[in-house]
């Protein structure tokens, strides 16, 4: 009932078409945890199946771009927990999805998964067909392990169909490839496969040699989560080979060593039964009567597992035991059960063994059973030949399909070559036209360049004239300074001195008449104020009207401060800055910010050295003023009117102003002006 319910869940997984449903990060974490557990052989088969079901439930409504990877892992979970029906359903869904998305690698991998299903269900012709498709399309496989696993299973099918010589050839071929690609797991299984093929050809010595190589190879697989299983099953194969050589003590010792590796009764009951059958049979041949109890216990466990091979093996052992004890009735009973069960499941090797036993048990019908044995053996040989032909036919058909595919691909390549030729010619024509255009454009550009060179020469001559003019302006400024100095000294200072002396009388007399006379002096102060304002207005009116060299102006600003300061100044200007391209509005604001910065340094910084730099960086002019004064905490500083004005001036020209300072670490003001 639970299987049916979960099959419905799987169908929902396949048919669900919700739009743009992606997995959340939490769901992805849950999926990873569940899938890791689902494929962890430290858990029991039942536990792994539950983890796989839970992972499938999370993924059932997702259209996540990585869902194919998750689906493959879910299929792995079902395969490892022997849930064949769900494994097959998910694998077919993966194939359909991979074909829709034209994912060649995923298609080949899905072929191998479907082949594994048929292989597990003993439908060897279908399995062989899908494995052949994988092998013929190996160039599309990203993981070489998929290819190796498919070839290994093909060889195993040949082994099961008793085509031992061809199976040996395939296993040896696989072994060479696996060694080239250093796939330690496939090397192990190829050794084991060669051993089984040799045992099938009655080469027991050769079989033991390759089984022993496989056993040594397990030492390189200690990180494999099936390490215990691999080592135990190899020991079991070696033990069976020694049983064929009648060395039952060696076989007993090997199976005991295998059973001590792990608690296989819990982790892998099937393997436990196979080991116990070999172990108990060795006991039986060594005369240990406890083997009978083991035979019955194994048969009971095989019944609970519904494992036909374990049931047949156990009943054959019981039949042999009772035959040896001359209990004909019990021996015949178990042999007939083996005969019926083997025929029902088409396990002909055990059927032959049952007929052989019955010929020994029932002497009155010995001839009948021997004739049946010979008839079945001849029939099986005929079937084997037919099977070989069938597999050869499958190979031929897949080769034909591959050949047709190659012909189609060759035709496509021919058409593609024609298209490339046409595209190449078209590209050549386009390139020729582009080159023609470039040549014409270059000629035009050369003419423009010649014009620009002439223009630059003219600009240089103009600049020389401007420098000469600037020199004259500077001389005029010096004369103007001297004139203003005289006016201030002779005019303003003289008047202020006279007013001060006239107002000094207020210290001695405060009568109304004296005060009224002194009020005239206050009016005179207002006249002086107007005179000073006029001088200031005249000074400011044309400050930047004719500035051809901004750096020279900054040098003059610094020179003026040096006249009454002990601070050492250094001005550095980047020569690549073309100040003639900078608008007067910008230069005025930069000049005022520099002026305010230097005034603040003089008032508060107590600096000894000041550096002014003007640099060109990318698409901006960076002006910085750095001093080595006492500095201040920018987070605690009160916003004075000077700093506020500087920031407002920077904002007006679209510039950014940064003030960096720490106590006793100096101050740096950085003005970045976009160009």
């Amino acid at each position: 009932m639970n299987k049916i319910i979960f099959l419905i869940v799987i169908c929902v997984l396949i048919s669900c078409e919700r739009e743009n449903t992606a997995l959340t990060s939490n769901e992805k974490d849950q999926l990873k945890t569940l899938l890791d557990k689902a494929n962890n052989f430290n858990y029991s088969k039942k536990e792994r199946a539950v983890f796989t079901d839970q992972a499938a439930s999370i993924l059932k409504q997702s259209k996540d771009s990585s869902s194919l990877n998750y689906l493959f892992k879910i299929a792995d979970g079902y395969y490892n927990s022997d849930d064949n029906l769900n494994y097959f359903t998910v694998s077919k869904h993966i194939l359909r999805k991979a074909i829709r998305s034209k994912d060649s690698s995923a298609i080949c991998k899905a072929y191998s998964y479907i082949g594994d299903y048929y292989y597990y269900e003993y439908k060897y012709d279908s399995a062989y067909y899908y494995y052949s498709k994988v092998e013929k399309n190996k160039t599309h496989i990203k993981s070489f392990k998929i290819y190796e696993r498919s070839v290994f299973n093909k060889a195993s099918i040949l082994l099961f169909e008793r085509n031992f010589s061809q199976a040996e050839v395939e296993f040896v071929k696989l072994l060479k490839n696996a060694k080239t690609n250093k796939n330690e797991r496939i090397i192990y299984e190829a050794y084991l496969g060669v051993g089984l093929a040799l045992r099938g050809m009655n080469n027991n010595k050769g079989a033991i040699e390759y089984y022993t190589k496989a056993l040594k190879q397990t030492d390189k697989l200690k990180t494999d989560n099936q390490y215990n299983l691999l080592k135990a099953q190899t020991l079991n194969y070696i033990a069976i080979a020694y049983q064929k050589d009648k060395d039952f003590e060696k076989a007993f010792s090997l199976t005991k060593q295998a059973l001590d590796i792990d608690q296989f009764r819990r982790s892998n009951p099937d393997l436990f039964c196979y080991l116990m059958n070999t172990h108990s049979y060795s006991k039986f041949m060594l005369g240990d009567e406890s083997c009978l109890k083991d035979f019955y216990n194994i048969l009971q466990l095989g019944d609970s597992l519904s494992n036909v091979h374990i049931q047949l093996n156990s009943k054959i052992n019981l039949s042999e035991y009772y035959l040896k004890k001359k209990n004909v009735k019990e021996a015949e009973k178990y042999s007939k059960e083996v005969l019926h069960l083997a025929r029902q499941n088409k396990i002909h090797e055990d059927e032959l063994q049952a007929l052989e036993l019955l010929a020994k048990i029932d002497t009155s019908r010995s001839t009948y059973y021997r004739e049946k044995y010979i008839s079945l053996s001849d029939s099986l040989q005929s079937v084997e030949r037919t099977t070989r032909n069938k597999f050869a036919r499958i190979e031929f058909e897949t080769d034909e399909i591959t050949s047709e595919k190659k012909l189609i691909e060759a035709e496509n390549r021919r058409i593609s070559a024609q298209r490339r030729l046409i595209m190449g010619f078209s590209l050549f024509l386009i390139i020729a036209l582009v080159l023609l255009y470039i040549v014409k454009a270059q000629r035009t550009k050369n003419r423009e360049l010649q014009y620009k060179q002439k223009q630059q020469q003219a600009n240089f001559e103009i600049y020389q004239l401007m420098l000469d003019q600037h020199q004259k302006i500077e001389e005029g400024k010096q004369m103007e300074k001297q004139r203003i100095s005289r006016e201030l000294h002779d005019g303003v200072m003289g008047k202020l001195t006279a007013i001060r002396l006239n107002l000094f009388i207020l210290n001695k007399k405060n009568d109304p008449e004296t005060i009224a006379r002194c009020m005239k002096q206050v009016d005179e102060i207002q006249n002086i104020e107007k005179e000073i304002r006029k001088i200031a207005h005249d000074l400011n009116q044309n400050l930047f009207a004719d500035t051809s060299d901004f750096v020279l102006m900054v040098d003059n600003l610094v020179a003026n401060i040096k006249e009454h300061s002990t601070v050492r100044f250094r001005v550095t200007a980047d020569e690549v800055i073309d100040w003639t391209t900078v608008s007067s509005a910008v230069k005025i604001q930069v000049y005022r910010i520099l002026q305010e910065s230097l005034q603040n340094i003089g008032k508060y910084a107590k600096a000894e050295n000041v550096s002014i730099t003007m640099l060109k960086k990318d698409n901006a002019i960076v002006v910085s003023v750095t001093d080595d004064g006492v500095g201040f905490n920018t987070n605690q500083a009160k916003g004075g009117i000077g700093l506020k004005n500087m920031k407002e001036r920077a904002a007006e020209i679209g510039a950014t102003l940064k003030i960096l300072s720490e106590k006793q670490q100096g101050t740096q003001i950085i003005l970045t002006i976009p160009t």
Side-chain angles (χ1 to χ4, degrees):
M1 186 66 183
N2 290 335
K3 293 285 182 186
I4 293 170
I5 291 170
F6 203 76
L7 276 174
I8 295 170
V9 172
I10 294 297
C11 290
V12 171
L13 184 150
I14 293 169
S15 61
C16 182
E17 295 293 337
R18 279 177 54 183
E19 293 182 1
N20 300 323
T21 306
L23 292 170
T24 64
S25 58
N26 185 44
E27 286 174 332
K28 287 181 180 179
D29 291 340
Q30 285 181 330
L31 260 179
K32 184 180 182 305
T33 302
L34 288 169
L35 291 171
D36 286 345
K37 290 180 178 179
N39 293 288
N40 186 341
F41 284 83
N42 291 325
Y43 293 99
S44 69
K45 193 181 294 184
K46 186 176 179 181
E47 289 172 325
R48 296 198 301 270
V50 171
F51 294 137
T52 308
D53 289 347
Q54 290 172 349
S57 297
I58 292 173
L59 193 63
K60 65 183 179 181
Q61 292 181 333
S62 169
K63 296 192 76 175
D64 193 283
S65 60
S66 59
S67 61
L68 267 179
N69 294 329
Y70 291 127
L71 283 168
F72 275 120
K73 289 182 180 179
I74 287 172
D76 289 338
Y78 285 128
Y79 181 85
N80 292 329
S81 57
D82 294 338
D83 189 346
N84 293 348
L85 194 54
N86 278 334
Y87 171 74
F88 180 66
T89 304
V90 174
S91 297
K92 293 288 280 186
H93 173 53
I94 292 170
L95 180 59
R96 287 192 294 271
K97 192 167 184 177
I99 291 171
R100 282 198 302 270
S101 61
K102 297 180 181 179
D103 188 337
S104 300
S105 177
I107 289 170
C108 286
K109 191 174 180 181
Y111 283 150
S112 74
Y113 274 45
I114 295 169
D116 289 343
Y117 164 76
Y118 286 121
Y119 179 85
Y120 200 82
E121 291 291 314
Y122 309 110
K123 297 177 181 178
Y124 293 138
D125 52 348
S126 296
Y128 200 89
Y129 169 75
Y130 279 100
Y131 290 144
S132 296
K133 286 174 79 74
V134 174
E135 189 176 7
K136 303 304 178 188
N137 293 278
K138 63 182 179 181
T139 54
H140 298 300
I141 302 172
K142 291 181 181 177
S143 171
F144 199 74
K145 290 181 181 179
I146 297 294
Y147 166 74
E148 288 177 328
R149 175 61 60 185
S150 298
V151 175
F152 170 79
N153 287 344
K154 275 185 67 181
S156 299
I157 290 169
L158 292 169
L159 189 69
F160 299 150
E161 296 295 340
R162 305 180 66 79
N163 188 350
F164 299 118
S165 58
Q166 187 59 37
E168 181 189 8
V169 170
E170 293 296 324
F171 279 124
V172 170
K173 184 199 305 181
L174 181 65
L175 181 60
K176 289 178 181 177
N177 288 337
K179 284 187 173 182
T180 300
N181 293 285
K182 297 180 181 179
N183 188 334
E184 305 297 346
R185 176 65 181 264
I186 293 295
I187 291 172
Y188 159 80
E189 298 201 14
Y191 278 141
L192 205 62
V194 174
L196 290 168
L198 291 170
R199 196 185 84 181
M201 292 185 287
N202 296 318
N203 184 351
N204 214 42
K205 184 178 179 181
I208 290 174
E209 178 188 347
Y210 274 91
Y211 288 154
T212 304
K213 287 181 179 182
L215 183 63
K216 289 180 180 178
Q217 183 66 17
T218 59
D219 293 336
K220 298 179 182 180
L221 300 171
K222 290 183 178 179
T223 57
D224 194 305
N225 56 12
Q226 290 185 307
Y227 167 71
N228 290 341
L229 181 149
L230 300 177
K231 189 164 186 176
Q233 79 172 4
T234 310
L235 288 167
N236 190 47
Y237 282 128
I238 298 172
I240 292 170
Y242 276 111
Q243 283 183 349
K244 295 286 183 183
D245 284 343
K246 309 298 182 184
D247 189 347
F248 297 108
E249 288 186 1
K250 183 70 174 177
F252 178 83
S253 173
L254 289 166
T255 49
K256 186 176 186 306
Q257 182 184 343
L259 287 163
D260 289 339
I261 290 173
D262 195 4
Q263 296 293 327
F264 290 117
R265 189 183 186 100
R266 177 180 177 276
S267 62
N268 198 315
D270 295 296
L271 177 61
F272 174 75
C273 290
Y274 290 126
L275 289 169
M276 281 301 297
N277 260 327
T278 310
H279 187 66
S280 303
Y281 189 80
S282 297
K283 275 187 184 181
F284 164 56
M285 297 307 293
L286 291 169
D288 187 342
E289 290 297 324
S290 66
C291 66
L292 181 61
K293 183 180 178 182
D294 290 342
F295 290 154
Y296 277 114
N297 287 338
I298 297 163
L299 178 58
Q300 186 178 5
L301 186 54
D303 290 339
S304 68
L305 295 170
S306 300
N307 190 314
V308 176
H309 291 282
I310 293 170
Q311 292 169 336
L312 288 169
N313 203 347
S314 300
K315 288 179 179 181
I316 288 169
N317 289 344
L318 284 166
S319 182
E320 283 192 42
Y321 175 84
Y322 283 117
L323 178 62
K324 188 175 182 180
K325 296 296 180 183
K326 302 188 185 305
N327 187 341
V328 176
K329 184 179 178 181
E330 288 296 313
E332 185 177 14
K333 169 192 166 187
Y334 284 111
S335 285
K336 285 185 175 179
E337 286 181 7
V338 170
L339 185 63
H340 174 72
L341 192 59
R343 281 177 178 171
Q344 187 179 1
N345 290 278
K346 297 181 180 179
I347 304 174
H348 303 300
E349 190 174 348
D350 289 339
E351 186 179 352
L352 286 171
Q353 196 169 353
L355 288 168
E356 192 175 10
L357 277 171
L358 284 167
K360 293 177 183 177
I361 295 165
D362 189 355
T363 54
S364 63
R365 301 186 67 192
S366 176
T367 304
Y368 168 77
Y369 287 122
R370 290 190 190 282
E371 286 176 354
K372 286 286 186 184
Y373 180 91
I374 293 168
S375 175
L376 178 60
S377 181
D378 291 344
S379 174
L380 288 175
Q381 288 178 11
S382 177
V383 169
E384 284 173 19
R385 285 193 295 271
T386 305
T387 302
R388 289 192 195 102
N389 293 336
K390 178 176 64 176
F391 288 135
R393 208 163 42 250
I394 291 171
E395 288 279 3
F396 174 73
E397 288 170 359
T398 51
D399 283 339
E400 261 196 341
I401 293 168
T402 305
S403 297
E404 288 175 6
K405 185 179 178 183
K406 286 180 179 177
L407 285 172
I408 292 168
E409 287 176 350
E411 181 65 18
N412 288 336
R413 284 196 295 271
R414 187 182 66 79
I415 294 168
S416 296
Q418 289 178 347
R419 287 177 179 171
R420 284 196 295 271
L421 184 62
I422 293 168
M423 288 178 66
F425 179 75
S426 302
L427 186 62
F428 173 76
L429 186 60
I430 291 168
I431 291 171
L433 292 172
V434 169
L435 288 173
L436 184 62
Y437 171 77
I438 290 171
V439 169
K440 289 185 177 181
Q442 189 64 39
R443 287 176 181 172
T444 305
K445 191 173 181 181
N446 288 339
R447 286 196 295 270
E448 290 178 357
L449 186 60
Q450 290 172 1
Y451 172 76
K452 285 181 180 179
Q453 287 174 344
K454 291 178 181 178
Q455 191 176 39
Q456 285 176 354
Q457 182 64 30
N459 289 340
F460 178 76
E461 292 173 0
I462 292 169
Y463 185 67
Q464 285 293 113
L465 292 172
M466 289 177 66
L467 287 178
D468 295 341
Q469 184 66 23
H470 181 72
Q471 183 65 31
K472 293 178 181 179
I473 290 170
E474 286 300 314
E475 291 174 0
K477 284 181 180 180
Q478 291 299 324
M479 292 174 64
E480 184 66 11
K481 282 182 182 180
Q482 292 173 4
R483 183 188 67 79
I484 292 167
S485 176
R486 286 194 300 271
E487 285 185 8
L488 289 173
H489 184 271
D490 299 339
V492 175
M493 289 300 295
K495 291 177 181 178
L496 285 173
T497 302
I499 291 169
R500 179 172 61 81
L501 292 173
N502 288 330
L503 291 176
F504 187 74
I505 195 171
L506 290 173
N507 289 330
K508 298 178 179 180
K509 293 182 180 181
N510 291 317
D511 58 275
E513 185 181 350
T514 302
I515 291 171
R517 193 167 58 248
C518 288
M519 286 303 292
K520 293 179 181 179
Q521 301 301 321
V522 173
D523 292 338
E524 187 62 26
I525 291 172
Q526 290 178 345
N527 291 332
I528 293 170
E529 181 184 343
K530 290 177 182 178
E531 187 175 347
I532 293 171
R533 189 180 292 113
K534 182 178 181 302
I535 293 169
H537 180 72
D538 291 341
L539 283 173
N540 189 55
Q541 188 173 9
N542 294 312
L543 183 60
F544 287 92
D546 193 24
T547 56
S548 59
D549 192 340
F550 182 77
V551 178
L552 186 58
M553 291 189 61
V554 174
D555 288 336
N556 290 337
L557 175 63
V558 171
N560 290 336
I561 295 173
K562 282 182 177 179
E563 291 178 1
H564 55 79
S565 173
T566 60
V567 177
R568 290 185 291 274
F569 289 90
R570 182 167 62 89
V571 179
T572 305
D574 199 334
E575 293 181 356
V576 300
I577 302 173
D578 186 2
W579 288 102
T580 61
T581 62
V582 180
S583 67
S584 296
V586 172
K587 287 190 281 192
I588 289 171
Q589 300 297 8
V590 174
Y591 185 91
R592 294 303 185 201
I593 291 169
L594 285 172
Q595 194 175 43
E596 182 65 30
S597 301
L598 295 176
Q599 286 178 2
N600 288 340
I601 291 170
K603 288 180 183 178
Y604 310 114
K606 300 180 181 178
E608 294 181 359
N609 298 283
V610 176
S611 174
I612 301 170
T613 61
M614 291 171 278
L615 303 174
K616 179 74 173 179
K617 289 187 179 179
D618 298 328
N619 295 322
I621 297 173
V622 180
V623 180
S624 65
V625 181
T626 307
D627 69 69
D628 59 358
V630 296
F632 63 98
N633 189 332
T634 57
N635 295 325
Q636 296 179 356
K638 296 179 181 179
I641 191 168
L643 293 177
K644 181 180 177 183
N645 286 342
M646 287 165 66
K647 290 178 180 179
E648 287 178 353
R649 290 181 187 279
E652 284 178 11
I653 58 174
T656 58
L657 184 73
K658 289 184 181 179
I659 301 174
L660 308 174
S661 182
E662 290 184 16
K663 287 188 177 180
Q664 306 305 322
Q665 298 296 320
T667 302
Q668 185 178 29
I669 296 171
I670 303 171
L671 178 67
T672 304
I673 310 149
T675 57

